[in-house]
Amino acid sequence: MCFYPHSTRGKYGEGAKQEKFRYVLSLVFIQCVINAIFAKLMIQFFDAVKVDRTRNWLYAACALSYLGAMVSSNSALQFVNYPTQVLGKSCKPIPVMLLGVTVLKKKYPLSKYFCVLLIVTGVALFMYKPKNVGSVGDEHVFGYGELLLLLSLTLDGLTGVSQDHMRAYYQTGSNHMMLNVNLWSTLFLGAGIFFTGELWEFLSFTERYPTIIYTILLFGLTSALGQTFIFMTVVYFGPLTCSIVTTTRKFFTILASVILFANPISNLQWMGTILVFLGLGLDAKFGKTSKKTSH
């Protein structure tokens, strides 16, 4: 989702008339519409015979927490830089695990806690840039940006709880989960952008800079394809595993650029790399949880 930092921090226009793209709700609304259409097509072609028994209130609750986490983390970019946002979101597996334990009474082996801690610590060390501390716009220790990231992480945990509930009690399919979560998200966002007036401001912006429409549509299509695999991971392996995958993918993307383009890497980042691979290796060997059959 690399369009986000560009859309929220990039500038459009020339000279004194330059302006930023500030319509996060409208952007996420379009993303959810495209996701829902993509999921519906997937159901038509691959899941037409499967009956979905999941309660609508559960989809609605999941959509609210999912949306809140997404909007909060991207709104945080108005107050913190992109590396800080990525660093904060790298802790996502922790609330997913903790809320799963406290709300759903899930049981994980001690090795699972240790592996998650190693992975999160490793990713955080790898992303951490000491030289950025005290840079322009970062004069506060804990401000609105950090509060928004904390809210986003909490909502990520609640999203994991609702998804785990769907898996355990309704055996919800990945395409049905993706379709309904995005439909409810579209409903909530549609009401939001209409009543706040953002819809008309967004349409005016696209009228001034029509080239952004292609970028948004391309973003929506790639997002839909990626989200298909995310929901498959949630359904087949669980929200915790999905959060670990989405966290470490950022790490592997940067590590690949380091290897392919010989970018310099600090001792702290090497330490983070070792911790991530150690955590993933130990999790693959010792972090498995026994599967329970739901009735």
Side-chain angles (χ1 to χ4, degrees):
M1 298 185 181
C2 58
F3 180 76
Y4 278 129
H6 172 71
S7 66
T8 55
R9 301 183 77 87
K11 293 184 177 180
Y12 299 84
E14 297 179 356
K17 293 184 177 180
Q18 282 189 338
E19 52 186 314
K20 287 184 178 181
F21 183 92
R22 298 178 289 102
Y23 313 104
V24 177
L25 291 180
S26 299
L27 178 63
V28 179
F29 172 79
I30 294 173
Q31 178 190 2
C32 290
V33 169
I34 296 175
N35 287 344
I37 294 172
F38 193 89
K40 183 65 177 177
L41 290 174
M42 292 289 288
I43 291 172
Q44 288 294 114
F45 286 106
F46 303 108
D47 261 347
V49 296
K50 185 176 177 64
V51 178
D52 182 28
R53 301 182 297 109
T54 311
R55 304 297 183 190
N56 275 322
W57 69 264
L58 194 53
Y59 281 133
C62 184
L64 272 176
S65 57
Y66 158 78
L67 268 183
M70 188 187 301
V71 173
S72 297
S73 64
N74 288 287
S75 296
L77 285 170
Q78 300 288 339
F79 305 98
V80 299
N81 55 30
Y82 186 60
T84 300
Q85 189 236 36
V86 172
L87 183 64
K89 292 293 285 184
S90 69
C91 300
K92 180 179 176 179
I94 294 178
V96 172
M97 173 178 274
L98 292 180
L99 285 176
V101 170
T102 56
V103 177
L104 297 178
K105 308 301 180 185
K106 295 195 71 173
K107 294 183 179 179
Y108 297 101
L110 286 176
S111 57
K112 192 73 174 179
Y113 293 95
F114 181 66
C115 294
V116 168
L117 183 61
L118 282 178
I119 294 168
V120 169
T121 303
V123 173
L125 287 175
F126 192 85
M127 300 290 184
Y128 181 58
K129 300 284 193 303
K131 63 182 180 181
N132 288 337
V133 176
S135 60
V136 176
D138 293 329
E139 298 173 356
H140 58 280
V141 177
F142 195 90
Y144 292 118
E146 288 77 10
L147 283 172
L148 285 168
L149 286 174
L150 186 60
L151 174 62
S152 177
L153 289 171
T154 303
L155 291 171
D156 280 330
L158 291 174
T159 301
V161 167
S162 58
Q163 289 173 334
D164 252 331
H165 191 74
M166 291 182 204
R167 295 174 67 237
Y169 293 95
Y170 300 102
Q171 290 78 50
T172 311
S174 59
N175 292 322
H176 284 97
M177 188 185 293
M178 179 176 170
L179 171 64
N180 287 282
V181 168
N182 279 286
L183 282 177
W184 277 101
S185 298
T186 300
L187 180 64
F188 293 140
L189 284 168
I193 62 176
F194 180 79
F195 287 112
T196 60
E198 182 179 309
L199 174 62
W200 318 118
E201 294 178 17
F202 170 72
L203 292 174
S204 177
F205 187 91
T206 57
E207 198 173 321
R208 293 194 299 275
Y209 309 104
T211 55
I212 199 175
I213 297 174
Y214 167 78
T215 309
I216 291 175
L217 291 176
L218 182 61
F219 162 72
L221 288 172
T222 54
S223 170
L225 183 60
Q227 199 174 86
T228 300
F229 291 102
I230 287 174
F231 276 98
M232 286 176 66
T233 305
V234 168
V235 168
Y236 293 117
F237 301 102
L240 179 59
T241 299
C242 183
S243 69
I244 293 173
V245 170
T246 55
T247 295
T248 53
R249 74 168 175 81
K250 300 182 182 74
F251 162 81
F252 282 113
T253 299
I254 298 175
L255 185 62
S257 72
V258 169
I259 296 171
L260 293 174
F261 303 107
N263 292 321
I265 184 170
S266 67
N267 290 333
L268 193 65
Q269 288 176 312
W270 276 121
M271 186 184 299
T273 301
I274 293 170
L275 288 178
V276 170
F277 280 108
L278 181 62
L280 290 173
L282 291 175
D283 186 52
K285 187 168 180 62
F286 303 109
K288 304 297 182 185
T289 55
S290 58
K291 292 185 179 179
K292 293 182 181 179
T293 305
S294 301
H295 298 283

